[in-house]
Amino acid sequence: MKRILIVGENIVGSSEHKILLEAKGYQPLLIRDLHSAVSLILEDPPDMLIMDIDFGEKQEGLALLNAVKGCLQKTNIPVLLVVTEKHVATGFNWQTYPVDDILVRPFSPELMLARIQLAEARMIRVFDNNPLSKLPGNTSILKAIQRAIDADESYGVCYIDIDNFKPYNDRYGFSQGDDVILMVARIAVNVIDELARDGSFVGHVGGDDFVFIVGEEKVKPVCERILANFDVVRNMFIPAEDLKVGCYVEKDRQGRETIFGLLSLSIAVVMTGSHVYSHSGEVSTAASEVKHFVKQKEGSNYMIDRRSLKG
């Protein structure tokens, strides 16, 4: 049961509020003094905080907010501030009140529940998104893969990996490496938006790894367009002297000087339509196996797992 710390007077104004919250799997923890509220947050953090803007003596409410938002381990606790229409009319300094949503008095039990669920969903999206590319992260990716597995139609789950990215990052620095990652993200999003918008998905696993999911019939044209577009813009990120020789020398993971090829893309594809897979983890494992083979090829390539094809 999710625990909601409720601080202030008459926020849960009627038994209907409490009954509805408990029926939907929430445990309201009603506290009316600052010391008890801060102790709970520090020692046994709740899943959410709902606080009256007029809570306690002067500055007590801000002290409580700072206790939540000032700790990195607790910044993902959604905070709802209970206000009146007068407060809304006079405006807020959101730098002073670092909250995630407001509840305007009076509010029904159903509205309170809706704002709680909305704040939870928003927080999940924010913390799942990759901070660099802003694309959905691992939790969203696994859900998208599972939706593809469970769907009636067949989808291609496609893993993108940038070849020779680590030595590139070591040679030119993480800032330029981030520019390459952003460039790949934009290419993938733009191509899928152009060729396969309906029902598709793009996510960022992290680092130089991406996942996109498109209908089976769109896999080949999307993969080919992504690789072609990457090859067009790739040279913008590689100095002329390295382009001229077609490679560069950098230390490998064992610290030995090694000749690396220029940046390229490898895309490993697993189809869901064969009903070989029942869980997202199985698709990830299959894609890792395919990626091992496709990355052995020179230049940019994609490879479809033959085991996942019908027939």
Side-chain angles (χ1 to χ4, degrees):
M1 181 171 281
K2 296 180 180 178
R3 300 158 64 245
I4 302 177
L5 172 59
I6 299 176
V7 182
E9 298 290 340
N10 300 319
I11 293 178
V12 180
S14 67
S15 59
E16 286 80 6
H17 287 81
K18 187 176 181 183
I19 291 171
L20 182 59
L21 288 178
E22 292 177 342
K24 294 297 182 180
Y26 298 98
Q27 179 188 5
L29 307 171
L30 307 178
I31 292 181
R32 292 183 173 82
D33 67 278
L34 176 65
H35 178 75
S36 300
V38 172
S39 295
L40 181 69
I41 287 173
L42 296 178
E43 297 168 7
D44 188 16
D47 299 295
M48 179 177 291
L49 167 65
I50 300 178
M51 189 189 80
D52 195 316
I53 191 171
D54 293 323
F55 161 68
E57 299 294 330
K58 187 177 181 181
Q59 301 299 317
E60 283 193 350
L62 294 179
L64 184 58
L65 286 177
N66 290 333
V68 176
K69 295 300 183 181
C71 178
L72 290 177
Q73 292 179 322
K74 300 178 181 64
T75 54
N76 61 342
I77 297 177
V79 178
L80 275 64
L81 191 66
V82 178
V83 300
T84 64
E85 290 187 0
K86 182 178 179 181
H87 290 116
V88 175
T90 55
F92 288 94
N93 180 348
W94 297 115
Q95 299 301 319
T96 303
Y97 290 95
V99 301
D100 302 293
D101 202 352
I102 59 174
L103 273 168
V104 181
R105 292 181 186 274
F107 46 83
S108 66
E110 291 77 14
L111 178 63
M112 182 180 193
L113 177 65
R115 302 308 279 266
I116 288 172
Q117 294 173 330
L118 180 63
E120 285 183 316
R122 185 188 303 118
M123 197 61 67
I124 290 172
R125 289 196 300 271
V126 168
F127 277 83
D128 185 49
N129 284 6
N130 185 279
L132 177 62
S133 66
K134 312 302 182 191
L135 290 172
N138 288 334
T139 300
S140 299
I141 291 170
L142 292 176
K143 289 181 179 177
I145 294 174
Q146 193 62 50
R147 284 198 300 272
I149 293 171
D150 296 338
D152 293 332
E153 59 268 50
S154 180
Y155 285 89
V157 179
C158 312
Y159 282 70
I160 305 177
D161 185 87
I162 306 175
D163 304 320
N164 302 318
F165 180 75
K166 183 182 182 306
Y168 177 90
N169 217 31
D170 293 342
R171 183 174 178 84
Y172 301 112
F174 70 87
S175 178
Q176 194 159 330
D178 284 353
D179 289 341
V180 173
I181 288 173
L182 285 173
M183 181 259 292
V184 173
R186 292 189 189 107
I187 288 174
V189 169
N190 291 340
V191 169
I192 291 167
D193 190 49
E194 180 182 353
L195 300 182
R197 175 183 296 180
D198 293 340
S200 298
F201 171 87
V202 185
H204 189 174
V205 177
D208 60 321
D209 292 312
F210 298 85
V211 169
F212 68 86
I213 301 173
V214 296
E216 181 173 337
E217 75 284 359
K218 298 290 185 179
V219 166
K220 290 185 178 180
V222 167
C223 286
E224 289 170 357
R225 181 73 67 85
I226 288 175
L227 298 183
N229 288 0
F230 177 81
D231 285 344
V232 169
V233 299
R234 179 202 65 172
N235 292 354
M236 297 168 51
F237 297 86
I238 301 174
E241 61 269 25
D242 288 338
L243 282 174
K244 185 175 181 180
V245 296
C247 64
Y248 51 85
V249 177
E250 191 55 51
K251 290 183 178 179
D252 64 11
R253 295 179 186 275
Q254 286 72 44
R256 300 169 300 198
E257 285 198 341
T258 305
I259 298 174
F260 291 96
L262 302 180
L263 293 173
S264 57
L265 291 187
S266 291
I267 305 177
V269 183
V270 176
M271 301 294 193
T272 63
S274 62
H275 303 297
V276 172
Y277 308 105
S278 60
H279 188 269
S280 57
E282 297 169 348
V283 173
S284 296
T285 300
S288 295
E289 294 170 356
V290 177
K291 190 170 76 172
H292 172 75
F293 289 103
V294 70
K295 284 182 72 67
Q296 293 179 12
K297 293 187 173 186
E298 190 172 333
S300 293
N301 298 279
Y302 73 97
M303 180 181 290
I304 300 174
D305 184 5
R306 308 300 301 178
R307 300 168 298 179
S308 65
L309 293 174
K310 290 181 178 178

